[in-house]
Amino acid sequence: MSIKGKVVVITGASSGIGAATAKLLATKGAKVVLGARREERLQALSQVIGDNAVYQVTDVTDRQQVRALIDLAVSKFGRVDVLYNNAGTMPQGNLSDREYDKWQMMLNVNIMGVLNGIGEVLPIMQKQHDGLIIATDSVAGHVVYPASAVYNGTKYAVRAIMEGLRQEEKEHGIRSTIVSPGAVRTELVNTIGNTQIQAGISELMNADDRQGLALNPEDIANAVLFAIDQPKHVAISEVLVRPAQQEV
């Protein structure tokens, strides 16, 4: 099935997995609609991609901004074939640290951000009787580990939401996919906050590819491409992608 001509909305598109996915899909002929908070990054990425890209500054915690991003896709290209809910944040720390503000931020971005995207695009996809909604989940949504309980919780929630979406919307021709990466070299590391944990993860990020300790954003972009590039009768529910040597 061809990617050419598909309209793909991507949140968290200004760097990392989102930017890599936008570039890859554009090379396959997709029309990409880019959303993120950093306008200068979006503008630069849009210029690199060219005529098949448009952008809108978007904070996924703001439902009106998410609606504006979806509206841009429809007004510019006439439809939305794929929504890729990719924005996320990953503060780390023990529950005893009682970092309520960081917990709330994770809930707002990682869970409500996904729900805002789903809620705003569903009426369009139901009318089309066609669509694919993808979310970046995480290995942390499959395995729990210390100092990550709240982040784990948000990613487990995304798994549940996306499975519920699949069950509820399959009769409308709407499919759902989660892509769950392990360690990836992206700016998400900068949101960790805990200096000790961040130092340890930074070592993985700096490892050579041959060590198999971290993935590149392009590796995840390939997984997203795989999910999109399927015939309508095929639903790729989950793609779990780890560095070859990752322990958890």
Side-chain angles (χ1 to χ4, degrees):
M1 187 174 182
S2 176
I3 301 293
K4 187 174 181 180
K6 284 190 175 294
V7 179
V8 183
V9 178
I10 304 173
T11 67
S14 60
S15 65
I17 293 169
T21 301
K23 291 175 183 177
L24 177 61
L25 295 180
T27 66
K28 304 296 182 180
K31 302 179 188 301
V32 293
V33 181
L34 313 172
R37 292 177 300 172
R38 295 176 292 185
E39 184 170 12
E40 71 284 356
R41 293 280 194 96
L42 290 173
Q43 185 177 39
L45 178 59
S46 181
Q47 289 174 347
V48 167
I49 293 173
D51 292 340
N52 281 343
V54 293
Y55 70 88
Q56 176 85 35
V57 174
T58 308
D59 180 342
V60 296
T61 68
D62 186 324
R63 191 166 65 250
Q64 291 184 345
Q65 291 188 32
V66 175
R67 182 182 304 128
L69 181 67
I70 300 297
D71 287 347
L72 174 64
V74 175
S75 65
K76 184 71 176 179
F77 300 119
R79 60 185 290 113
V80 179
D81 296 296
V82 182
L83 168 64
Y84 182 20
N85 282 313
N86 172 64
T89 188
M90 191 179 68
Q92 301 284 284
N94 291 338
L95 293 170
S96 59
D97 295 337
R98 303 171 69 207
E99 295 184 287
Y100 295 106
D101 290 343
K102 290 182 179 179
W103 297 347
Q104 188 65 61
M105 178 178 63
M106 273 192 280
L107 295 173
N108 292 344
V109 175
N110 295 353
I111 299 178
M112 284 309 304
V114 169
L115 288 170
N116 288 339
I118 291 171
E120 293 306 320
V121 83
L122 270 183
I124 295 165
M125 290 185 171
Q126 287 177 339
K127 186 176 181 179
Q128 295 171 173
H129 206 75
D130 185 38
L132 172 62
I133 299 175
I134 306 174
T136 299
D137 201 69
S138 173
V139 169
H142 300 257
V143 180
V144 178
Y145 45 89
S148 191
V150 178
Y151 180 66
N152 290 138
T154 66
K155 292 303 184 178
Y156 270 78
V158 170
R159 279 181 66 196
I161 290 164
M162 294 295 285
E163 171 58 14
L165 174 66
R166 183 192 71 80
Q167 294 181 21
E168 292 177 9
E169 295 298 329
K170 62 184 187 297
E171 301 304 324
H172 291 110
I174 299 169
R175 296 168 292 153
S176 71
T177 300
I178 60 169
V179 178
S180 297
V184 186
R185 297 181 179 96
T186 73
E187 295 178 15
L188 186 65
V189 176
N190 299 333
T191 70
I192 287 173
N194 183 297
T195 55
Q196 184 176 359
I197 296 172
Q198 186 163 338
I201 293 179
S202 293
E203 288 185 19
L204 300 179
M205 301 298 104
N206 293 326
D208 187 279
D209 280 349
R210 291 170 295 181
Q211 295 177 258
L213 297 174
L215 301 168
N216 296 308
E218 292 76 15
D219 300 321
I220 309 307
N222 285 328
V224 175
L225 173 64
F226 172 74
I228 296 173
D229 194 26
Q230 300 298 319
K232 191 173 178 179
H233 72 280
V234 176
I236 304 298
S237 297
E238 298 185 7
V239 182
L240 186 59
V241 190
R242 288 182 173 96
Q245 297 301 316
Q246 181 167 314
E247 293 185 5
V248 298

